[in-house]
Amino acid sequence: MDENALLKKKEILIRHLKRLDSLLVAFSGGVDSTFLLALAHDALGDRAVAATIDSVVFPKREKEEAIRFTALKGIQHIILLADEILSPDFLANDPKRCYYCKRTVSEKIQKTAQEKGLRYVAHAANMDDLGDYRPGLRAAQEMGIIAPLIDAKLNKEEIRLLSKEMALPTWDKPSMACLASRIPYGEPITEKKLKMVEEAEGFLSENGFRQCRVRHHGPVARIEVERDEIKRITEFGMGGKIIERFKEIGFLHIAVDLEGYNSGSLNRMLDIPRQPLDIPKKKEGLSNNGL
């Protein structure tokens, strides 16, 4: 990777952030949002504020890590209670599920920004997100949420490299997505299912499996881990522990996906072209949504 080109992207991002008079960053505590928040705080100081959604669709440990980071950096941090779980459209779990959720969350964050006198709201979508089915990006765009990392043309690998250079604790953190993404489209979302997935994935993480997913197929838990960890997960001792714990959680059958971890694997069932999001043309280095 061209180090000079990467540093140039970072410089472009910083320059864009400095043009904003105030910013509320949608902060999940993951790799991308931590990187964006850290740079926004460096650029804007107290005029950069973090907002984290407290919801059953996100693991509690993610919120706790987000709180620790902002406390360490001295960044103002707002916790917002989400109510997407009350939306019949979201619970029905059709292919636009992420759109309904992002729309609800974006409205709440935008309202908070207005109440706090913060002019812009940003989320941490990156270039890699444009290559898959991501209806939530459309909702954010419609709500006027800016995407600085996309405007700087940064992808996940580049964000990790820059995060490592900045000594951010998340630089090698496993990718995370909302727990609803573990439930196949068409299967209703319930708090019970989300809790089962959270507990199952938490158990795998506690036992050393860094990048993992537990897909909820009714009574069946389909485990995805990195391919080089499949052998370990099927060993008698570990396998027995997983079977015992997963049955306690409520699963009747436990399966291991031989293909291994595959982000967005449930999108395969959709007959939808994987077209990139139509990003508005920029004007003088700024996107139409403010950056």
Side-chain angles (χ1 to χ4, degrees):
M1 181 173 295
D2 187 333
E3 184 176 349
N4 290 331
L6 181 56
L7 292 177
K8 184 176 180 180
K9 287 185 180 183
K10 181 181 178 181
E11 291 172 1
I12 290 172
L13 174 58
I14 293 172
R15 186 165 64 248
H16 286 179
L17 290 171
K18 286 183 176 179
R19 295 180 187 179
L20 308 177
D21 50 25
S22 56
L23 179 66
L24 184 62
V25 178
F27 179 51
S28 69
V31 178
D32 306 321
S33 65
T34 299
F35 172 71
L36 176 60
L37 179 61
L39 282 185
H41 186 249
D42 287 345
L44 300 172
D46 293 341
R47 292 176 291 134
V49 179
T52 296
I53 298 297
D54 185 0
S55 169
V56 294
V57 303
F58 299 115
K60 290 181 180 179
R61 64 181 183 276
E62 294 293 302
K63 181 187 70 174
E64 293 167 355
E65 290 178 8
I67 291 173
R68 284 196 293 271
F69 179 81
T70 54
L72 179 65
K73 296 294 184 179
I75 300 172
Q76 183 181 348
H77 192 186
I78 302 168
I79 306 296
L80 301 174
L81 293 176
D83 51 10
E84 76 279 355
I85 197 69
L86 302 177
S87 167
D89 290 330
F90 173 74
L91 295 177
N93 197 19
D94 72 20
K96 291 184 67 177
R97 172 197 67 219
C98 291
Y99 175 89
Y100 303 131
C101 179
K102 192 74 170 186
R103 183 85 187 187
T104 299
V105 168
S106 296
E107 288 174 351
K108 185 176 288 289
I109 293 178
Q110 283 281 29
K111 181 179 179 181
T112 300
Q114 293 171 4
E115 293 172 348
K116 298 292 184 180
L118 301 168
R119 185 174 178 186
Y120 296 93
V121 177
H123 69 148
N126 67 67
M127 292 298 291
D128 290 348
D129 294 317
L130 301 182
D132 197 2
Y133 177 62
R134 295 285 191 270
L137 293 182
R138 177 68 62 187
Q141 188 182 56
E142 291 174 356
M143 291 298 297
I145 308 293
I146 64 176
L149 302 182
I150 289 178
D151 286 329
K153 300 189 182 304
L154 284 161
N155 60 38
K156 175 75 79 172
E157 181 183 0
E158 292 170 331
I159 292 166
R160 287 190 184 279
L161 288 172
L162 290 171
S163 296
K164 183 178 182 179
E165 179 189 75
M166 295 166 61
L168 294 176
T170 51
W171 76 269
D172 64 343
K173 183 177 181 178
S175 298
M176 177 54 64
C178 100
L179 297 173
S181 66
R182 317 301 198 263
I183 302 172
Y185 294 114
E187 295 294 328
I189 295 171
T190 66
E191 289 193 44
K192 179 180 179 181
K193 291 177 182 177
L194 296 172
K195 185 66 174 178
M196 290 172 68
V197 170
E198 180 178 6
E199 291 185 9
E201 291 187 354
F203 180 78
L204 293 178
S205 296
E206 291 166 5
N207 281 275
F209 295 96
R210 281 180 40 79
Q211 189 68 73
C212 60
R213 294 287 186 268
V214 175
R215 310 294 182 182
H216 191 296
H217 297 272
V220 179
R222 177 168 60 86
I223 301 171
E224 295 180 9
V225 295
E226 297 287 1
R227 293 199 63 176
D228 59 2
E229 291 190 312
I230 291 177
K231 181 177 180 181
R232 177 173 170 247
I233 208 170
T234 57
E235 290 174 348
F236 178 76
M238 180 57 66
K241 289 172 62 177
I242 292 171
I243 291 170
E244 180 180 6
R245 181 66 184 115
F246 277 38
K247 286 187 175 180
E248 289 176 353
I249 290 170
F251 292 107
L252 299 181
H253 307 284
I254 298 88
V256 177
D257 193 321
L258 295 181
E259 190 174 356
Y261 167 71
N262 194 318
S263 177
S265 64
L266 291 179
N267 285 342
R268 293 175 182 173
M269 66 185 294
L270 301 177
D271 185 21
I272 298 176
R274 304 295 189 265
Q275 297 295 329
L277 188 67
D278 181 22
I279 299 298
K281 292 182 180 179
K282 296 180 182 180
K283 181 179 180 182
E284 297 180 358
L286 304 181
S287 67
N288 288 356
N289 55 12
L291 187 62

